[in-house]
């Protein structure tokens, strides 16, 4: 268990669970929230229910049971262990540790219910219910325990100016021991010691007693490290908190005292953008601001060993924020006034800026809520009309207001993109494209004045989330993807691509400064994402608007990152292997800008060079026939001298093999017959065989080798070898019979072709006829020839050999 039980969670009423909420009035006494402490030392809400104590046979003892008020399921079943340290805090909290790293808390709606369960726990453990903790936290050594057995409590020196040094030493010496820390905390609580110390602080300040003030700094800092909620409640009360901050101004390690109180009272101003009528809420806001200030600015940065000692302070702030959000959320008048003033044209600019900043901070606070509470929070904001309000604010001239509105919009998109999509599709039926919420976001992205485009990058991320089909819903009646993408391409895409189209009217970009290049790179990144995820919507848009041709103008940019973005866009399109795209590319000769960029890059071995070669290599490996023919027919002369890679020569080889197949359809027929007769056991259609054969990756073959097609590779080695061995046997014994088979394939009168078969199915078998003086890559016995990679110089030889075999 931790040295000290961490801070308690908020009460049920503080966490949005106020009232009976469907339960009977008689149940509210036992109504609780169950919390567990997670690895980040934050409290997780496990649900609301009703607690009872009874004997559980399975656990062999009295146990605490909590059943959910929603469905009666069991939220908690915990045996009251006689040795577990249970702690009662704030009159409505019971906190304990079940295992080494598993802390639990019950937050009661009513004090009476907490007292009742506390009595049960004390009864099982044989303790007096007046105590706040049932066991000593015994993490100390045996020697310490023996020393402390004789002194049940820790006696503090009398609170006098002359004894401050003695008190400071006592506090410092108690911190290393968990047991002494516990006893010191109880002594400070019981004797109202903190208030007496703060009275001495006023005396020391009046007397300018610097030594006494330095001792008080050490004492108050030590009390913070005791990590006790009960002590924090005293220190952070309205009457004490400013004096506590005053004590922490006199750090002995600094030559001059800090002016924290002066900052909080004179510089920091509390702005009530909408009057808050609830005094408790107002006090809670003041307290949270000051405690956050103490944590961030006043307390020295904790050492590695002190970090865990301040966990209760983190929790105190956390639950205060939860409480503030809950109280504001329940105040309908407050939220109604807020949104009314935000959207009112009569509201002056300064007031509106304050309102937007408040709403932004309100949303930031909501990030501390548990998921179910956050759902309720954003639903409330949605019902109050936050999206129409944001639309109005984003259309205003004030840059600071727009920036804050963008941050609020990002919270909404991250929380629920579908809610935002639904709103923008509804408003499209009533408003012009210019004032649509998404178009306003796109315009802010385009008009970002930051040289690094920090805001534009954030907005592009939000747009990407909105157009991502992965987080779109599909129901029985409608598909969000179809509806929203139809809306987006009709009403918004032209706004997104406007800067791109405006800048690519000539052969090179009309504006090529760094900021413009960055913006166009962002737009291209989103368009590339659309190509990958939007299929026909983006395809129609690209082809109808001739987008790819305009994008490739950017290949001429002086900024390499922009030229590479344009190339990446084209590579993504080619990667789809879509013949609609391919015909569009060929018709418009859209390889020309790429080839130009490749030649202009010269012999430089850089990312541009590699990326362009990779694109052509992809076309060759994937055997995209239409693009292969187009590239060789139109750009071969420019590329034929590139010999440091075999990509272009390999493309030429592919092209020539395609042409040979077209010119000699009988040759293809002959090959398929031979394949069927010789080592194909299952009957397949000619079309299937050709498709499988010509798609075989030539990188896996050597000249004159045939690789077993994928479907055959899965067969057992015996199944594969059996027909071959039979064939070889038949060949040796009945050579005349084989000649008849060859005559049927239009090769009568010619020498029996040599052949070589290589099988890559675990066992390789190379079968070569005795008469093979040289292997002909194009011979019928070598079906691998269409995909055989060879040195580029072998192309003409292969062609002549092919010609030698062709039938008369």
């Amino acid at each position: 268990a931790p040295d000290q039980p961490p801070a308690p969670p908020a009460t049920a009423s503080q966490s949005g669970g106020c009232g009976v909420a469907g339960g009977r009035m008689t149940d509210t006494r036992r109504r609780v929230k169950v919390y567990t402490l997670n690895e980040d030392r934050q409290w997780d809400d496990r649900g609301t229910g009703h607690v009872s104590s009874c004997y559980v046979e399975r656990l062999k003892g009295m146990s605490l049971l909590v059943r959910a008020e929603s469905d009666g399921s069991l939220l908690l079943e915990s045996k009251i262990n006689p040795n577990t340290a249970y702690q009662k805090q704030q009159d409505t909290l019971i906190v304990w540790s079940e295992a080494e790293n598993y802390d639990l808390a019950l937050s009661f709606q009513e004090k009476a219910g907490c007292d009742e369960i506390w009595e049960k726990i004390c009864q099982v453990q044989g303790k007096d219910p007046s105590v706040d903790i049932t066991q000593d936290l015994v993490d100390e050594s045996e020697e310490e325990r023996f020393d402390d057995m004789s002194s049940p409590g820790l006696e503090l020196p009398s609170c006098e100016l002359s004894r401050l040094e003695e008190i400071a030493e006592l506090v410092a010496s108690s911190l290393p021991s968990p047991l002494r820390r516990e006893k010191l905390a109880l002594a400070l609580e019981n004797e109202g010691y903190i208030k007496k110390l703060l009275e001495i602080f006023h005396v020391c300040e009046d007397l300018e007693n610097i030594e006494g003030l330095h001792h008080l700094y050490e004492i108050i800092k030590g009390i913070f490290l005791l990590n006790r909620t009960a002590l924090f409640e005293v220190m952070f009360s309205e009457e004490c908190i400013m004096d506590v901050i005053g004590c922490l101004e006199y750090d002995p390690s600094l030559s001059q005292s800090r002016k924290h109180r002066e900052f909080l009272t004179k510089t920091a101003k509390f702005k009530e953008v909408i009057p808050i009528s609830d005094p408790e809420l107002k006090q809670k806001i003041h307290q949270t601001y000051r405690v956050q200030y103490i944590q961030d600015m006043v307390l020295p940065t904790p050492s590695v060993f002190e970090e865990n000692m301040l966990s209760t302070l983190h929790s105190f702030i956390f639950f205060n924020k939860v409480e503030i959000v809950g109280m504001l959320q329940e105040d309908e008048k407050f939220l109604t006034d807020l949104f009314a003033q935000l959207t009112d044209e009569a509201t002056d600019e300064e007031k509106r800026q304050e309102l937007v900043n408040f709403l932004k901070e309100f949303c930031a606070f909501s990030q501390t809520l548990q998921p179910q509470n956050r759902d309720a929070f954003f639903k409330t904001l949605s019902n109050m009309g936050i999206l129409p309000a944001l639309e109005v604010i984003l259309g205003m001239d004030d840059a600071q207001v727009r920036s804050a509105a963008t941050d609020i919009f990002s919270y909404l998109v991250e929380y629920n993109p579908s809610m935002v999509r639904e709103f923008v599709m509804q408003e499209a039926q009533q408003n012009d494209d210019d004032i649509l919420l998404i178009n306003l976001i796109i315009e802010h992205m385009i008009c970002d004045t930051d040289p690094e485009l920090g805001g534009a990058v954030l907005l592009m991320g939000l747009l990407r989330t909105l157009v991502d089909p992965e987080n779109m819903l599909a129901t029985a009646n409608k598909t969000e993807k179809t509806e929203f993408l139809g809306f987006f391409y009709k009403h918004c895409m032209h706004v997104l691509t406007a800067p791109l189209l405006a800048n690519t009217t000539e052969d090179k970009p009309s504006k090529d400064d760094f900021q413009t290049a960055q913006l166009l790179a962002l737009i291209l990144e989103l368009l590339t994402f659309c190509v990958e995820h939007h299929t026909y919507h983006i395809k129609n848009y690209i082809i109808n608007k001739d987008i790819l041709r305009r994008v490739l103008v950017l290949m001429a940019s002086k900024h390499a990152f922009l030229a590479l973005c344009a190339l990446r866009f084209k590579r993504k399109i080619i990667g789809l292997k879509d013949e609609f795209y391919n015909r569009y590319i060929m018709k418009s000769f859209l390889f020309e800008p790429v080839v130009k960029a490749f030649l202009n890059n010269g012999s430089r071995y850089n990312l541009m060079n590699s990326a362009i070669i990779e694109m052509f290599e992809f076309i060759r490996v994937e055997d995209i026939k239409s693009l292969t023919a187009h590239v060789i027919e139109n750009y071969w002369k420019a590329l034929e001298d590139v010999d440091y890679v075999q990509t272009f020569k390999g493309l030429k080889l592919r092209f020539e093999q395609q042409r040979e197949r077209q010119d000699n359809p009988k040759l293809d027929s002959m090959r398929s017959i031979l394949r069927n007769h010789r080592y194909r056991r299952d009957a397949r259609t000619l079309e299937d065989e050709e498709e499988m054969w010509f798609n075989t990756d030539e990188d896996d073959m050597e000249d004159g080798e045939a690789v077993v097609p994928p479907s055959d590779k899965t067969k057992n080695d015996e199944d594969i070898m059996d027909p071959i061995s039979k064939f070889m046997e038949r060949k040796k014994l009945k050579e005349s019979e084989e000649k008849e088979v060859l005559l049927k394939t239009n090769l009568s009168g010619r020498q029996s072709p040599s052949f070589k078969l290589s099988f890559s199915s675990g066992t390789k078998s190379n079968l070569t006829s005795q008469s093979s003086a040289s292997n002909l890559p194009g011979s019928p016995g070598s079906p691998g020839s269409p995909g055989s990679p060879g040195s580029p110089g072998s192309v003409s030889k292969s062609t002549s050999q092919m010609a030698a075999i062709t039938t008369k």
Side-chain angles (χ1 to χ4, degrees):
D3 293 342
Q4 179 76 19
T11 61
S13 59
Q14 291 169 345
S15 296
C18 55
V20 291
R24 299 188 305 279
M25 287 298 290
T26 52
D27 291 335
T28 58
R29 191 159 46 91
R30 293 287 188 91
R31 191 164 185 262
V32 294
K33 271 188 179 289
V34 180
Y35 287 90
T36 57
L37 195 69
N38 63 27
E39 290 178 358
D40 300 324
R41 303 198 69 77
Q42 300 290 333
W43 288 101
D44 289 337
D45 185 348
R46 295 299 182 190
T48 304
H50 294 89
V51 65
S52 60
S53 62
C54 60
Y55 185 84
V56 176
E57 182 65 36
R58 185 173 59 81
L59 299 176
K60 305 292 185 197
M62 290 294 289
S63 304
L64 298 175
L65 304 178
V66 180
R67 293 197 174 275
E69 66 179 3
S70 56
D71 57 7
S73 60
L74 201 62
L75 294 178
L76 175 71
E77 186 180 50
S78 171
K79 181 182 176 183
I80 301 173
N81 194 313
N83 300 317
T84 297
Y86 290 85
Q87 201 171 356
K88 189 165 86 163
Q89 301 175 358
Q90 294 182 347
D91 292 334
T92 55
L93 282 157
I94 297 176
V95 183
W96 73 98
S97 296
E98 286 264 310
E100 189 166 341
N101 289 312
Y102 189 61
D103 289 29
L104 286 158
L106 292 180
S107 173
F108 289 78
Q109 183 165 329
E110 294 185 11
K111 179 180 182 296
C114 184
D115 291 342
E116 196 176 320
I117 295 297
W118 184 250
E119 282 178 21
K120 294 280 186 186
I121 293 169
C122 292
Q123 186 181 336
V124 171
Q125 294 199 342
K127 302 288 181 183
D128 185 341
S130 63
V131 300
D132 281 342
I133 185 164
T134 61
Q135 304 284 334
D136 288 333
L137 301 175
V138 285
D139 281 350
E140 76 285 358
S141 67
E142 291 295 321
E143 187 182 341
E144 278 183 306
R145 194 194 305 180
F146 179 78
D147 290 344
D148 284 317
M149 278 173 70
S150 57
S151 55
L154 189 140
E155 194 173 329
L156 292 167
S158 58
C159 197
E160 298 170 5
L161 179 58
S162 58
R163 304 192 71 175
L164 284 177
E165 185 174 1
E166 187 183 341
I167 298 167
E169 286 175 1
L170 176 66
V171 171
S173 65
S174 299
L175 289 174
S177 161
L179 183 65
R180 287 179 64 78
R181 222 164 49 230
E182 182 65 30
K183 289 184 173 179
L184 174 61
L186 288 170
L188 289 169
E189 282 177 49
N190 296 337
E191 298 177 26
Y193 211 78
I194 291 173
K195 289 185 179 177
K196 294 175 187 173
L197 286 170
L198 296 177
E199 287 171 12
I200 294 178
F201 167 70
H202 286 292
V203 174
C204 287
E205 271 210 318
D206 291 342
L207 297 174
E208 296 185 357
N209 183 342
I210 300 300
E211 187 183 354
L213 291 168
H214 284 169
H215 289 317
L216 280 165
Y217 171 89
E218 298 293 353
I219 293 166
I220 296 295
K221 180 190 167 191
I223 292 173
F224 268 96
L225 296 176
L226 290 175
N227 211 26
R228 287 283 287 211
T229 307
L231 296 177
F232 286 158
E233 284 176 350
V234 175
M235 293 163 74
F236 299 153
S237 63
E238 189 74 26
E239 57 183 312
C240 296
I241 191 165
M242 294 306 283
D243 291 338
V244 168
I245 292 169
C247 291
L248 293 171
E249 289 180 354
Y250 294 94
D251 185 345
S253 63
L254 301 174
S255 57
Q256 208 169 358
S257 65
R258 298 292 175 90
K259 305 292 183 188
H260 295 303
R261 285 170 295 171
E262 187 179 316
F263 172 81
L264 288 171
T265 52
K266 294 180 181 175
T267 309
K269 298 292 181 187
F270 176 59
K271 290 184 178 176
E272 237 176 312
V273 289
I274 302 286
I276 296 172
S277 53
D278 186 348
E280 186 189 345
L281 173 58
K282 200 180 290 189
Q283 189 273 329
K284 188 69 68 177
I285 292 170
H286 285 306
Q287 184 190 56
T288 306
Y289 176 78
R290 289 166 182 168
V291 177
Q292 186 90 56
Y293 182 82
I294 290 172
Q295 183 191 44
D296 296 343
M297 304 299 297
V298 181
L299 283 176
T301 305
S303 68
V304 175
F305 304 105
E306 293 174 338
E307 269 183 12
N308 285 338
M309 291 182 174
L310 291 172
S311 61
T312 306
L313 183 63
H314 298 310
S315 295
F316 188 96
I317 295 167
F318 170 80
F319 286 113
N320 262 18
K321 288 181 177 179
V322 169
E323 197 174 340
I324 290 167
V325 172
M327 293 167 86
L328 285 172
Q329 194 178 324
E330 288 162 16
D331 191 342
E332 284 193 18
K333 183 179 182 306
F334 179 87
L335 290 177
T336 307
D337 290 349
L338 172 67
F339 284 106
Q341 290 190 36
L342 263 177
T343 52
D344 188 354
E345 292 181 7
T347 306
D348 65 73
E349 292 301 317
E350 188 178 345
K351 175 75 170 175
R352 184 174 279 109
Q353 190 174 331
E354 290 172 356
L355 289 164
V356 175
N357 285 334
F358 167 79
L359 188 56
K360 174 184 167 184
E361 196 166 347
F362 192 32
C363 289
F365 265 38
S366 74
Q367 301 306 295
T368 62
L369 297 175
Q370 295 295 328
Q372 62 268 38
N373 293 343
R374 201 179 311 151
D375 286 350
F377 172 79
F378 280 112
K379 274 179 188 163
T380 303
L381 289 188
S382 178
N383 294 337
M384 299 302 294
I386 189 167
L387 285 166
L390 282 179
E391 194 170 38
V392 172
I393 300 163
L394 286 166
M396 294 175 178
D397 297 331
D398 191 316
Q400 284 184 306
V401 168
R402 289 204 312 264
S403 173
T406 301
D407 289 338
I408 297 166
F409 183 70
S410 72
Y411 285 123
L412 294 170
V413 171
E414 285 165 17
Y415 161 69
N416 190 346
S418 290
M419 178 178 79
V420 178
R421 290 189 202 107
E422 189 178 349
F423 169 76
V424 295
M425 284 192 287
Q426 285 174 355
E427 65 161 355
Q429 297 165 10
Q430 301 152 9
N431 297 337
D432 296 334
D433 286 0
D434 294 345
I435 59 171
L436 294 181
L437 180 58
I438 291 192
N439 286 347
L440 289 170
I441 294 293
I442 294 171
E443 283 168 21
H444 289 322
M445 182 192 83
I446 291 168
C447 301
D448 189 3
T449 53
D450 177 8
E452 296 297 324
L453 294 186
V457 172
L458 169 67
L459 292 171
M460 183 59 74
L462 297 178
L463 283 173
R464 184 170 174 153
T465 303
L466 287 173
V467 300
D468 187 353
E470 292 295 317
N471 59 47
M472 293 183 187
L473 306 172
T475 61
N477 301 327
K478 57 179 182 177
T479 307
E480 186 182 17
K481 177 180 174 181
T482 306
E483 289 192 0
F484 181 74
L485 293 183
F487 155 82
F488 183 78
Y489 280 88
K490 182 178 179 183
H491 297 281
C492 308
M493 189 55 107
H494 66 278
V495 183
L496 179 67
T497 54
L500 170 69
L501 297 175
N503 209 38
T504 53
T505 51
E506 307 295 331
D507 290 341
K508 59 181 183 177
S510 49
K511 280 179 72 180
D512 206 16
D513 58 280
F514 179 70
Q515 192 163 351
T516 304
Q518 269 199 311
L519 175 64
L520 293 176
L522 275 178
I523 293 170
L524 279 179
E525 190 180 322
L526 186 59
L527 289 176
T528 306
F529 177 83
C530 293
V531 166
E532 186 175 1
H533 292 90
H534 290 177
T535 58
Y536 66 89
H537 287 97
I538 188 72
K539 189 196 302 180
N540 291 341
Y541 190 81
I542 288 173
I543 294 173
N544 291 336
K545 303 288 183 184
D546 200 13
I547 295 293
L548 180 56
R549 185 177 65 79
R550 305 295 281 272
V551 166
L552 291 174
V553 170
L554 302 175
M555 293 285 292
S557 169
K558 67 183 180 186
H559 300 285
F561 70 87
L562 180 57
L564 286 165
C565 277
L567 184 63
R568 189 158 55 244
F569 179 71
K570 179 168 182 175
R571 172 66 178 80
K572 187 66 74 176
I573 288 174
I574 289 175
L576 296 175
K577 298 194 282 187
D578 185 317
E579 278 305 309
F580 282 101
Y581 276 132
N582 293 347
R583 283 198 290 272
Y584 161 61
I585 289 170
M586 293 185 294
K587 185 179 176 184
S588 303
F589 292 91
L590 295 180
F591 275 102
E592 190 170 320
V594 177
V595 173
K596 265 187 190 172
F598 181 69
L599 297 175
N600 291 339
N601 191 61
S603 58
R604 280 173 293 180
Y605 179 50
N606 53 18
L607 189 55
M608 177 65 74
N609 175 278
S610 299
I612 292 174
I613 289 173
E614 190 278 334
M615 179 190 289
F616 287 110
E617 182 69 11
F618 176 82
I619 293 169
R620 184 188 71 81
V621 169
E622 294 297 322
D623 195 13
I624 305 175
K625 298 179 174 59
S626 55
L627 295 184
T628 302
H630 176 76
V631 170
I632 296 303
E633 286 169 0
N634 293 283
Y635 308 106
W636 172 244
K637 289 210 178 300
L639 301 170
E640 63 180 334
D641 294 331
V642 179
D643 54 6
Y644 53 87
V645 288
Q646 296 302 307
T647 297
F648 300 109
K649 289 182 169 57
L651 269 177
K652 182 76 161 34
L653 184 61
R654 281 274 198 207
F655 172 67
E656 290 178 347
Q657 288 165 351
Q658 285 172 30
R659 208 160 55 179
E660 284 163 9
R661 286 198 294 273
Q662 289 166 0
D663 294 345
N664 301 288
K666 289 181 180 178
L667 190 63
D668 283 345
S669 173
M670 172 193 70
R671 283 178 180 153
S672 69
I673 291 169
L674 276 175
R675 283 202 303 277
N676 277 328
H677 275 276
R678 292 190 176 189
Y679 57 89
R680 283 267 191 176
R681 200 166 59 172
D682 54 337
R684 300 189 179 208
T685 63
L686 181 64
E687 185 179 323
D688 287 344
E689 289 166 3
E690 285 183 340
E691 191 64 28
M692 181 177 292
W693 195 253
F694 293 123
N695 283 342
T696 303
D697 191 347
E698 72 276 348
D699 290 302
D700 297 331
M701 303 184 193
E702 296 172 5
D703 276 347
E705 289 188 344
V707 178
V708 174
S711 59
D712 284 357
K713 286 183 184 180
T714 59
K715 297 180 182 178
N716 292 331
D717 289 348
E718 291 179 8
D719 291 344
I720 295 171
M721 294 305 298
D722 187 49
I724 297 167
S725 57
K726 283 181 182 178
F727 168 72
M728 290 303 295
E729 203 172 81
R730 191 168 68 248
K731 183 181 181 303
K732 288 175 182 176
L733 298 173
K734 301 178 183 179
E735 195 169 355
S736 61
E737 193 178 324
E738 189 195 15
K739 284 179 181 177
E740 288 176 14
V741 173
L742 290 175
L743 284 170
K744 288 179 185 177
T745 59
N746 295 322
L747 285 172
S748 57
R750 290 191 176 274
Q751 181 184 347
S752 177
S754 60
F755 59 93
K756 178 182 175 185
L757 303 174
S758 168
F759 295 86
S760 55
S761 60
T763 305
K764 286 196 175 182
S765 173
N766 293 326
L767 311 173
T768 313
S769 71
Q770 295 174 353
S771 62
S772 72
S774 64
N775 286 329
L776 301 178
S779 66
S782 173
S785 60
S788 298
S791 60
S794 68
V795 175
S796 57
K797 181 183 173 186
S798 171
T799 309
S800 63
Q801 286 169 338
M802 278 286 209
I805 300 166
T806 310
T807 55
K808 289 183 180 179

